[in-house]
Amino acid sequence: MFLYNAILERADANNPVLVCLIGAGKFGAMFLSQVPTTPGLEVVAIIDLEPDRAKRTCLHVGWSADLIARTTFSDDISEISLKQPIDVMVEATGNPVVGVYHALFSIKNGWHTIMVNVEADVLAGAHLSKLAQSAGLVYSMAYGDQPALTCELVEWSRSIGFKIVAAGKGTKFLPEYHSSTPDTVWNYYGLSPTEAANAGMNSQMFNSFLDGTKSGLEMAAIANATNLQAPEDGLLFPPAGVDELANVLKPKSMGGSLETKGQVEVVSSLKRDGSPVFRDLRWGVYVVIEATNEYTAGCFKQYGMNTDESGRFSAMYKPFHLIGLELNVSIFSAALLKKPTGSTQAFQADVIATAKRKLTSGEVLDGEGGYTVWGKLVSAKKSLAIGGLPIGVTSGLKLKRTIGAGSPILWSDIEFDNSLEIFKIRKNMENDFKLG
């Protein structure tokens, strides 16, 4: 209860942790719904492209009129920084370039940063984390999202002496999803475009969940935080339920599907024929560990662990994640304990743009979840060796040559202004990796 006790101390002292939320979308709304019942926490500012909509969101999720009146709403973060003190900034926009700029602004102002925006984290997290540490600040993953929850399982495993065989999450996936576009996405979700629109669902964002890009980004974030390896040729998405994790997520040489021990992978809730996996892990996270010796393997059996046929590999998992409802753990951990709930340590993995179809010279890329590209997980070493273009900077870039379907897009394939700060930041991070 050490964290909760620290929270209560702040609440009793009438000294709440002061938070600025950037992005009042679904994740932000889920977080905001917990604010009225959380002691020791005050959201003093909400930044959103549509401040009035953000106010309506607060009302919708249970805020009182008085609480809304006490909160500053704006579309300009620089205006907020001049008005009031802030302890923690939560970046939940989902825009990778904007997310990097917001994190830089947060660090410059002396705020701890919770990076919900995994797109920004994979694009430049190694750079941002290094800056924050140099300033004595916390740069953290968002507890409630699958990367932070997976990192928690990895830390648990390593702290009690186990080596990691595999770690990751579950999702709904079939190979054909890689070519999905905003026009086809709702068919896969079993919704009509009208139903989705009425629910306020963004087709491009939801398509990034489906086409493999978001999974690649989340696994890259985990690899960068834990030093686990990325598969060299992308995620396999093997079908596996919770009872099969230890059998499926071990090296091929031992009857599993992995290239090697110690890597990230995503399991699908669908078999390749489209039928459902029994006891799937679509909403959860997992870690697969290997017994350190025969005695430990015996303990696995004695205490009912799910193991492979050999009895040496077992899995621990969490079946659900509550996304923004759990974010307070990260906020309080940063502000009160000065510890992240997972944080980028190195540039270990990358997600590179891959053509969904044949793309012709002169076409303009439309970014994550769009019509032109999906993001493929690879090692940072491979990404830099081929000059792969990170998915986070693809929106609005023009191709200089024709690219075949399924082919990676390279820096040399696109026109870009290398004087822009985001490209400088990314290139500096890449150069640091090469020198390291």
Side-chain angles (χ1 to χ4, degrees), residues 74-356:
S74 177
D75 59 2
D76 183 1
I77 189 170
S78 61
E79 177 186 342
I80 299 300
S81 67
L82 299 174
K83 285 186 174 182
Q84 51 207 139
I86 289 168
D87 297 312
V88 179
M89 185 274 286
V90 176
E91 214 298 335
T93 66
N95 183 308
V97 176
V98 169
V100 171
Y101 291 151
H102 285 158
L104 292 171
F105 190 88
S106 176
I107 295 166
K108 180 180 179 181
N109 279 275
W111 309 335
H112 300 301
T113 303
I114 310 300
M115 184 58 84
V116 181
N117 188 337
V118 68
E119 293 85 354
D121 186 52
V122 173
L123 178 61
H127 175 77
L128 297 171
S129 181
K130 185 177 179 180
L131 283 180
Q133 290 178 25
S134 297
L137 298 168
V138 172
Y139 173 84
S140 177
M141 291 177 171
Y143 198 87
D145 262 350
Q146 287 165 305
L149 299 181
T150 304
C151 288
E152 182 179 50
L153 287 177
V154 170
E155 182 172 52
W156 169 82
S157 302
R158 287 173 170 168
S159 297
I160 57 176
F162 287 109
K163 292 184 179 180
I164 307 300
V165 180
K169 68 165 194 172
T171 194
K172 177 184 177 182
F173 183 81
L174 291 172
E176 66 194 71
Y177 291 177
H178 281 321
S179 59
S180 177
T181 72
D183 288 340
T184 63
V185 63
W186 301 129
N187 291 332
Y188 294 122
Y189 280 105
L191 296 171
S192 71
T194 300
E195 288 172 326
N198 290 340
M201 300 166 73
N202 181 291
S203 60
Q204 186 157 344
M205 179 183 72
F206 275 83
N207 196 47
S208 73
F209 300 155
L210 190 80
D211 69 9
T213 301
K214 182 70 77 171
S215 289
L217 288 165
E218 292 188 331
M219 293 305 102
I222 294 167
N224 291 338
T226 63
N227 206 37
L228 292 172
Q229 298 181 53
E232 280 302 297
D233 195 34
L235 294 167
L236 297 176
F237 298 94
V242 295
D243 303 316
E244 305 169 292
L245 293 171
N247 267 317
V248 174
L249 297 167
K250 60 184 181 181
K252 293 177 182 177
S253 60
M254 298 178 175
S257 61
L258 303 182
E259 296 170 4
T260 184
K261 294 179 184 177
Q263 72 171 72
V264 294
E265 185 56 82
V266 176
V267 293
S268 177
S269 63
L270 295 178
K271 298 178 182 179
R272 289 298 186 252
D273 62 5
S275 62
V277 165
F278 178 65
R279 281 170 43 86
D280 69 78
L281 195 65
R282 179 178 178 183
W283 308 108
V285 297
Y286 76 88
V287 64
V288 173
I289 55 178
E290 183 178 7
T292 52
N293 51 47
E294 291 302 322
Y295 180 83
T296 306
C299 292
F300 285 173
K301 181 177 181 181
Q302 293 157 18
Y303 286 89
M305 293 285 283
N306 51 43
T307 67
D308 72 328
E309 295 94 334
S310 74
R312 295 192 62 86
F313 295 90
S314 185
M316 187 65 75
Y317 60 90
K318 187 172 186 176
F320 306 106
H321 67 297
L322 294 177
I323 320 175
L325 299 181
E326 300 180 74
L327 181 64
N328 288 346
V329 175
S330 290
I331 292 172
F332 286 125
S333 180
L336 305 182
L337 306 181
K338 304 299 186 286
K339 297 293 184 183
T341 50
S343 183
T344 297
Q345 302 297 307
F347 183 35
Q348 172 80 355
D350 200 11
V351 179
I352 58 176
T354 305
K356 288 187 173 181

Side-chain angles (χ1 to χ4, degrees), residues 33 180-181 192 384 406-407 419:
S33 73
S180 177
T181 72
S192 71
L384 299 192
S407 297
S419 68

